[in-house]
Amino acid sequence: MDRLQKILAQAGIASRRKSEEYIKEGRVKVNGEVVTEMGFQVSKKDEILVDDKPILKENKVYYMLYKPKKVICTNNDDKGRVTASSLVECEERIFPIGRLDYDTTGLLLLTNDGEFANEMAHPRYHIFKTYQLDLKGILTPEHIRQLEKGIMLDGKKTLPAKIKVTNKDFEKKQTTLEIKIQEGRKHQVKKMFLYFDYKVTRLHRSQFGFLTLGSLTPGQSRRLKPFEVKKLRALANGEVLED
Ligand code: URA
């Protein structure tokens, strides 16, 4: 048995808080009866409708994909481009957690668990994501300092980041580096460097929290192990600290 709002969130209907609003508004029926009681207990056998439509009760699945270039992260594309979800062989209807740009490669999580996706995307405690990149120009120590401390992007200061420069090519005028950020705003990494006029020419996400791609090659995916899902949840809820 589980709380109704939890089941709705897990089915990807909405966040848990929004699901509570649906319940309050009388939009949710259990076995034909409108339920407005918060915390109402339901089991797998109950028929649950939202706005008179049954919710899907699929098995929850969690994958990591090594996203190649030229793959998009939305599930529908009017231009017919390859979607990240289509690269993962599974029966459930999964969707990516957050976005990697069309030309960005690397670690992408996919799931059919809406609540888990919300936890990863809007955590109280922010999970570090690690990116490797090349940019045009030689990154200066002062810019590193400011980027690590936080800069104003779209009216909001970025959270503290960590930068490790791995190569400065003075002939090609190119810097190779690693950056760890705690947020997942749209085009965040590219925008952070563009703030100081550096154009990112290659972007790869090598890590999501403690998760790495391991031996996966571009286009390959694997299911997350139950302990990995559990640890990600604990990280998102600030129950364990990252290394
Ligand atoms: N930041 C970006 O700018 N692009 C990505 O794909 C991911 C993070």
Side-chain angles (χ1 to χ4, degrees):
M1 298 288 272
D2 250 317
R3 291 157 75 83
L4 183 53
Q5 59 266 47
K6 185 172 174 195
I7 297 290
L8 294 180
Q10 278 177 349
I13 301 294
S15 67
R16 207 181 285 201
R17 213 153 46 111
K18 197 96 191 134
S19 298
E20 286 175 0
E21 283 175 27
Y22 289 178
I23 296 169
K24 271 191 215 139
E25 288 162 9
R27 294 168 61 180
V28 182
K29 281 185 190 159
V30 179
N31 304 326
E33 300 279 332
V34 172
V35 171
T36 51
E37 179 195 327
M38 219 40 66
F40 188 84
Q41 296 281 315
V42 284
S43 80
K44 284 213 163 83
K45 290 187 193 136
D46 291 315
E47 186 202 36
I48 303 168
L49 308 179
V50 176
D51 295 334
D52 290 319
K53 287 191 211 96
I55 65 162
L56 289 172
K57 283 188 259 172
E58 292 176 314
N59 269 343
K60 298 299 165 219
V61 291
Y62 309 87
Y63 287 87
M64 77 156 75
L65 166 72
Y66 187 152
K67 179 194 168 297
K69 274 191 177 181
K70 298 188 178 168
V71 168
I72 57 153
C73 286
T74 46
N75 272 0
N76 305 303
D77 183 43
D78 48 13
K79 294 189 195 134
R81 291 174 294 185
V82 176
T83 65
S85 309
S86 73
L87 295 179
V88 180
E89 262 181 51
C90 78
E91 303 209 322
E92 292 80 7
R93 283 184 314 153
I94 55 171
F95 53 87
I97 298 177
R99 300 274 160 89
L100 289 180
D101 297 335
Y102 190 59
D103 57 353
T104 300
T105 58
L107 201 164
L108 182 69
L109 296 178
L110 300 104
T111 185
N112 59 348
D113 183 340
E115 191 179 26
F116 178 77
N118 280 334
E119 280 178 49
M120 293 304 113
H122 305 287
R124 273 153 285 189
Y125 178 85
H126 303 268
I127 298 176
F128 272 101
K129 290 113 195 158
T130 310
Y131 295 87
Q132 319 289 332
L133 59 126
D134 295 331
L135 51 82
K136 271 194 184 156
I138 304 296
L139 188 61
T140 67
E142 175 54 21
H143 289 161
I144 293 176
R145 196 188 64 77
Q146 290 190 43
L147 287 163
E148 287 190 326
K149 214 171 119 221
I151 53 161
M152 285 302 284
L153 262 196
D154 305 321
K156 198 172 156 226
K157 199 171 175 195
T158 56
L159 290 173
K162 293 177 200 162
I163 292 177
K164 219 189 280 172
V165 172
T166 49
N167 193 44
K168 287 181 186 173
D169 189 327
F170 289 93
E171 264 181 28
K172 285 194 196 158
K173 295 197 176 61
Q174 174 177 294
T175 308
T176 302
L177 62 123
E178 175 186 286
I179 185 166
K180 284 179 186 285
I181 59 169
Q182 308 177 54
E183 301 156 284
R185 300 199 225 162
K186 206 169 174 200
H187 308 310
Q188 179 161 349
V189 174
K190 290 177 186 167
K191 280 185 173 174
M192 283 173 76
F193 289 100
L194 215 48
Y195 184 87
F196 293 114
D197 279 339
Y198 300 103
K199 187 171 187 289
V200 171
T201 53
R202 175 185 68 93
L203 185 56
H204 173 79
R205 181 153 76 191
S206 56
Q207 252 179 275
F208 189 102
F210 59 91
L211 286 176
T212 63
L213 286 161
S215 57
L216 291 184
T217 57
Q220 283 187 334
S221 58
R222 73 160 173 90
R223 266 181 106 141
L224 295 189
K225 302 192 171 71
F227 84 88
E228 292 173 325
V229 175
K230 207 169 155 195
K231 193 168 169 192
L232 283 173
R233 278 217 156 97
L235 269 180
N237 289 296
E239 288 159 21
V240 292
L241 292 177
E242 277 184 82
D243 303 330

